[in-house]
Amino acid sequence: MSVKGKTAVITGSNSGIGLGIAQELARAGANVVLNSFTDSKEDHALAARIAQETGVEARYIQADMSNGEQCRALIEKAGRCDVLVNNAGIQHVCPIDEFPAGKWDAIIAINLTSAFHTTAAALPMMRKAGWGRVINIASAHGLTASPYKSAYVAAKHGIVGLTKVTALETAQEPITANAICPGYVLTPLVEAQIPDTMEKYGMSREDVIKKVMLERQPSKEFATTEQMGGTALFLCSDAAAQITGTTISVDGGWTAL
Ligand code: NAD
């Protein structure tokens, strides 16, 4: 079984890891549905470019992953969902006692609760099609913690738990559910953390990358969006049919420390 002709819905995929996974799945022949909360010409052009480059059907569907009804509507509008990649995510870095409650709620909604809604909407489609893959993009922060990332670490540990439950509920069906746990990948989400950290510690950009971000990543290299796409593609392969309810770290050794 390959992903050729299957439909993959990737939440939060107009940039970064989501876009990397969409491109990799499209290159392997899957029809892809891109998503974010915006609805710009660039968003639709991105889908058109993937379609042109790979020959698959690629669509962009706007839906705000902080809203449960819109999460479910995304899957309904896709019409089919053989591969669900729950990737949409945001970050906010701040000590717990100063952490804005609104930011906490938004991170839990987008990084965790959205996956509950999309999975609930997609499983009946996968069952009907007789095959399915749920791939949740967690993080090294789904397995370990860092200070000042309370909501993010809570959401990512939560999505690892949701992954296990999804796997158990589908264990006797041709459906698997797994979480990919990236270490640092240089995407807009990570790029946005650099200026604050530079200011906070009075460091250069290079030092923030080496001494703060990659400090816990033993390889001292960022992981790449292409590697995330390749891992997602592997999870869709027959070789991965008995891999379910687990986490796959792509973190340069972070969680081995
Ligand atoms: P990114 O900012 O490039 O991408 C995040 C995506 O989510 C974007 O497409 C954005 O538009 C979308 N998004 C944000 N809010 C949304 C909403 N309300 N509704 C729909 N879409 C929304 O960041 P990224 O680094 O590619 O992150 C993707 C995922 O990977 C996240 O879940 C993140 O936590 C996880 N992750 C990233 C890293 C890293 O180092 N970059 C490491 C571990 C895990």
Side-chain angles (χ1 to χ4, degrees):
M1 189 80 75
S2 80
V3 293
K4 204 156 196 269
K6 303 245 183 268
T7 296
V9 179
I10 306 103
T11 71
S13 46
N14 65 352
S15 95
I17 292 172
L19 180 57
I21 292 175
Q23 284 171 322
E24 209 61 31
L25 293 177
R27 277 188 207 115
N31 298 318
V32 292
V33 173
L34 304 186
N35 153 263
S36 185
F37 59 93
T38 51
D39 198 16
S40 69
K41 258 199 275 176
E42 290 76 20
D43 292 326
H44 293 274
L46 213 48
R49 202 193 70 207
I50 291 179
Q52 199 191 20
E53 284 173 4
T54 61
V56 303
E57 195 183 300
R59 286 176 288 158
Y60 177 87
I61 301 179
Q62 185 271 340
D64 184 344
M65 292 297 105
S66 68
N67 176 307
E69 281 172 18
Q70 291 192 33
C71 294
R72 289 172 189 256
L74 167 66
I75 304 300
E76 298 307 326
K77 283 181 193 163
R80 188 180 170 122
C81 182
D82 305 298
V83 180
L84 170 63
V85 183
N86 287 307
N87 167 80
I90 58 167
Q91 173 66 287
H92 188 73
V93 181
C94 183
I96 293 179
D97 51 343
E98 294 165 22
F99 209 95
K103 284 276 183 206
W104 171 278
D105 289 343
I107 290 175
I108 299 297
I110 296 167
N111 297 23
L112 175 59
T113 310
S114 68
F116 154 68
H117 290 292
T118 54
T119 303
L123 283 180
M125 291 183 182
M126 293 178 182
R127 287 185 169 127
K128 204 169 156 203
W131 188 90
R133 294 286 187 262
V134 179
I135 301 173
N136 293 326
I137 306 305
S139 167
H141 283 116
L143 304 167
T144 64
S146 293
Y148 315 128
K149 296 187 176 177
S150 52
Y152 188 84
V153 170
K156 294 300 186 182
H157 276 68
I159 204 164
V160 169
L162 176 65
T163 305
K164 292 178 184 177
V165 174
T166 309
L168 292 179
E169 291 187 13
T170 55
Q172 294 185 13
E173 303 173 80
I175 297 172
T176 68
N178 293 287
I180 298 177
C181 293
Y184 270 111
V185 185
L186 193 55
T187 64
L189 181 138
V190 166
E191 195 65 61
Q193 295 172 48
I194 296 178
D196 281 355
T197 318
M198 282 170 69
E199 199 182 306
K200 192 168 172 205
Y201 296 108
M203 280 180 168
S204 66
R205 179 186 160 85
E206 207 181 37
D207 279 354
V208 166
I209 290 176
K210 273 201 186 137
K211 295 184 180 158
V212 180
M213 294 187 154
L214 297 181
E215 200 251 331
R216 291 175 72 183
Q217 200 146 308
S219 65
K220 301 297 169 202
E221 278 181 34
F222 284 111
T224 66
T225 59
E226 290 79 8
Q227 290 160 358
M228 301 308 147
T231 307
L233 196 54
F234 165 68
L235 286 172
C236 292
S237 72
D238 282 344
Q242 282 297 314
I243 298 177
T244 195
T246 195
T247 55
I248 299 191
S249 292
V250 189
D251 66 0
W254 178 329
T255 43
L257 278 176

